């Protein structure tokens, strides 16, 4: 049985936090809110506990996890940080930015998918930070969805995928960003790689380091195994809608985007105010249309380059990958 406990994000109840921390310390699984999506947490230093994450999600074991920390000092105890990662951490943590860096031996191989590097991030959510502090261990946490499904942005979505598979859900309401953190490989300061676009835009990071983020070549792509898999897909087909392309819309189709495609007839539409709101609502929109038994989901292809457009395009492409 999975227990859900509501918790006030701005004033997390200490008793509930210590209950969740105790479960983590004894090797159990706890889902918790971050500012991006809900995470499925386990003691990152306990290989047996981490194994349970892979089992609960049905996740391939060579896809490494992010270690969530409550301070830069805690990150230093796990990976070899360099000047550039320290600088970025000081500016952007807590926040939706994950660093891949050389791992210290203390991190079990299972947590890092057998790699010599590991991913670390400090989430910008009071519940998450309180939990990591109370547990007094780094928390390994992928998104709290079944592997391949849309990431959960509220506790109901976590429950839908994970009921009976995990011990505890901390329900801290909806997440703010809606897509996962941006993952960058900073192990070589001369060549910083964008491994996964996400909740922090490329422009903001590039401005802070005054250089361009590089695209991984084929070898380094292998080093970010998560980007190889199909992801984020609801149980109904997702199709991409471009402004300049004529399409037939089947009956019983849903639409999400920022523009109102007036000429096209949809059973239901979700129109967002801007790109960041679109990113915020994409995964919950997928799950909403799924519940409503629509036959297709059409998503507008975001053309511009503002805000979270790059991360949004990445999620859309992978959700729709069977159909493009
Ligand atoms: O916002 C987020 O990042 C959320 C919340 C819960 O923090 N977490 C999340 O975790 O999205 P997950 O497991 O769904 O994605 C982690 C990504 C994967 O693409 C994985 O391959 C990559 O980080 N990653 C982890 N460790 C890595 C490493 N050592 N080298 C390269 N990529 C790594
Ligand atoms: Mg995920």
């Amino acid at each position: 049985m999975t227990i859900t406990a509501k918790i006030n994000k701005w004033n997390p109840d200490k008793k509930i936090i210590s209950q969740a921390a105790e479960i983590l310390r004894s090797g159990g699984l706890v889902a918790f809110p971050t500012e991006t999506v809900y995470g499925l947490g386990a003691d990152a230093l306990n290989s047996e506990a981490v194994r349970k994450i892979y089992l609960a999600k049905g996740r391939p074991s060579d896809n490494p996890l992010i270690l969530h920390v409550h301070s830069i000092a805690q990150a230093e105890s796990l990976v070899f940080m360099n000047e550039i990662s320290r600088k970025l951490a000081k500016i952007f943590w807590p926040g939706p930015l994950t660093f891949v860096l050389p791992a210290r031996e203390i991190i079990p191989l299972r947590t890092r998918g057998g790699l010599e590097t590991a991913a670390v991030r400090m989430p910008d959510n009071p519940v998450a930070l309180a939990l990591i502090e109370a547990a007094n261990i780094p928390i390994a946490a992928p998104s709290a969805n079944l592997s391949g499904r849309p990431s959960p942005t509220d506790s109901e979505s976590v429950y839908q995928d994970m009921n009976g598979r995990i011990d505890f859900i901390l329900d801290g309401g909806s997440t703010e960003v809606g897509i996962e953190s941006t993952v960058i490989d900073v192990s070589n300061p001369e060549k910083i790689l964008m491994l996964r676009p996400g909740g922090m835009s490329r422009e903001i990071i590039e401005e802070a380091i005054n250089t361009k983020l590089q695209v991984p070549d084929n070898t380094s792509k292998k080093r970010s195994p998560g980007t190889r898999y199909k992801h984020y897909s609801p149980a109904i087909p997702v199709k991409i809608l471009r402004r300049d392309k004529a399409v037939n819309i089947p009956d019983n189709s849903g639409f999400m985007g920022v523009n109102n495609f007036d000429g096209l007839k949809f059973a239901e539409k979700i129109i967002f105010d801007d790109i960041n709101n679109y990113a915020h609502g994409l995964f919950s929109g997928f799950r909403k249309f799924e519940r409503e038994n629509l036959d297709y989901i059409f998503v507008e292809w975001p053309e511009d380059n503002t805000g979270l457009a790059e991360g949004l395009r990445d999620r859309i492409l992978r959700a729709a990958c069977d159909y493009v």
Side-chain angles (χ1 to χ4, degrees), residues 153 177-178 256 270 272 275-286:
T153 57
V177 180
M256 275 191 276
I270 308 177
F272 299 103
I275 287 291
N276 286 5
N277 277 308
Y278 188 1
H280 176 251
L282 182 80
F283 291 143
S284 59
F286 282 163

Side-chain angles (χ1 to χ4, degrees), residues 146-197:
L146 288 173
S147 196
R149 302 255 311 134
S151 299
T153 57
D154 53 41
S155 75
E156 291 78 13
S157 304
V158 176
Y159 190 83
Q160 185 190 4
D161 280 16
M162 289 296 157
N163 182 28
R165 296 172 170 262
I166 65 177
D167 301 297
F168 204 72
I169 302 172
L170 283 168
D171 174 3
S174 294
T175 64
E176 295 85 39
V177 180
I179 59 172
E180 301 84 347
S181 63
T182 299
V183 181
I184 60 175
D185 183 337
V186 269
S187 45
N188 176 4
E190 307 294 312
K191 195 173 178 206
I192 300 173
L193 304 172
M194 168 73 99
L195 299 185
R196 176 179 75 180

Side-chain angles (χ1 to χ4, degrees), residues 32-40 57 59 62-68 95-101 103 111-113 115-121 123 141-145 151 179-183 185 195-196 199 220-229 231-232 315 318:
F32 61 97
T34 79
E35 81 281 36
T36 57
V37 300
Y38 271 73
L40 174 49
K57 278 184 66 89
R59 176 173 171 123
D62 64 346
N63 188 3
L65 306 173
I66 297 173
L67 292 94
H68 293 68
L97 180 62
T98 296
F99 303 125
V100 169
L101 285 161
T111 306
R112 42 186 156 115
L115 299 174
E116 285 174 5
T117 53
V120 288
R121 126 170 160 89
S143 46
N145 50 281
S151 299
I179 59 172
E180 301 84 347
S181 63
T182 299
V183 181
D185 183 337
L195 299 185
R196 176 179 75 180
S220 38
K221 237 186 199 143
K222 276 198 204 123
R223 295 169 50 202
S224 186
T227 50
R228 287 203 305 269
Y229 302 105
H231 257 90
Y232 315 122
R315 303 307 184 271
R318 288 200 273 148

